[in-house]
Amino acid sequence: MAKQKLINTSQELSNFPNHVALVMDGNGRWAKARGLPRVQGHHRGAERLRDIVKSCPELGIRYLTVFAFSTENWKRGQDEVSGLTNLFRQYMGSESRELIEKGVKINFIGNREAFDRSLVEQMNQLESATKSNEVLELTVAINYGGKSEIVDMVRKITRKAVEGKLNPDQLDEVLVDKFLSTSNLPDPDLIIRTSGETRLSNFFLWQAAYSELAFDQTLWPDFTVEHFKSHLIQYGIKERRFGSIT
Ligand code: IPE
Ligand code: IPE
Ligand code: MG
C-alpha cells in the first residue's frame, strides 16, 4: 500500500527509509514574512508536524524523530521560550488521544529536567500511555544537543569504569550506543532539514554518521506531505555504500 502510493508518483523504489529525522527549521522566518509574531510560526509548524506524523504509517516509516528545541534555543528571548513551552503543552494535550488511538509510541530525548514539573509530568505520562504502541515510534528531541548527549555518555561510562563495572578495553561502538538517549532507536536513514540551512546545529552528531542528508528550501510551516514524499523518493534512488565499493 505504502509503496504503491509512492510508485504512482515516481519510479520503482526498492529502498525505503525506516527511520527519518526532521530538523524543523524556518518557523520564525515564516512568521516574519507575514508580519506575525514568531510564536505564530511555531503554531503553524506544529500543524505541519501533525500532517507528517499521520502520513508515516502508510509511507512505511517505522521511526520518526523531530528536533523541536535545542540546548542552544534557550538563548532566545523569554517570550519565545515560554511561547514554545506553552505550545508543547498544548500540542501534547490536543494530540495525545489521537496518537494513542493511532498506535504511535512517543519518546522524548534531551534534558527534560530543565522544564516545569507539570510539563515533565505530561511528557512522562504520554510516554507511559503509549509505551506499548507499535505502529510508529515518534521521538521528540526537546532540550536536546548532540554534544551534551555525548558528554552524558562519557560521564556514565567513566563512572562505571571508576566503579569497576566496566573494563575500558571492552568499550566499542555498540556499547557507546547503549549509553546514548537513542539506545533503543536505529540510526536515522534520512535527515531532512527545512528552511535552506545546511547544518546539523548540534543534532544527532553520533547517530548521523551514515545518514543521508537532505536540505529543503521550504520553511517548516509550508512543508507538506508532498514535500516529504519527494525526499523519500530521492532517498529511494540513492545508493548507500557505508564505506564499501559494492
Ligand atoms: C525552528 O524554527 C523551530 C525552533 C528552533 C524551535 P526557527 O524558530 O529556528 O525559525 P527561523 O530559523 O528563525 O526562521
Ligand atoms: C535547529 O534550528 C534547532 C531546531 C530546529 C529545533 P536553529 O534555528 O536553532 O539552528 P541555527 O541557530 O540556525 O543553527
Ligand atoms: Mg532556525
Side-chain angles (χ1 to χ4, degrees), residues 37-50:
R38 291 177 62 86
V39 74
Q40 287 300 322
H42 298 314
H43 276 269
R44 187 58 74 93
E47 290 171 19
R48 296 291 76 78
L49 176 58
R50 183 187 300 134

Side-chain angles (χ1 to χ4, degrees), residues 148-164:
S148 143
E149 179 182 42
I150 288 170
V151 171
D152 281 348
M153 173 270 290
V154 172
R155 185 181 296 112
K156 286 178 197 152
I157 288 178
T158 310
R159 198 168 281 144
K160 287 229 180 270
V162 168
E163 288 167 356

Side-chain angles (χ1 to χ4, degrees), residues 30-41:
W30 183 93
K32 193 175 175 205
R34 287 159 182 78
L36 297 169
R38 291 177 62 86
V39 74
Q40 287 300 322

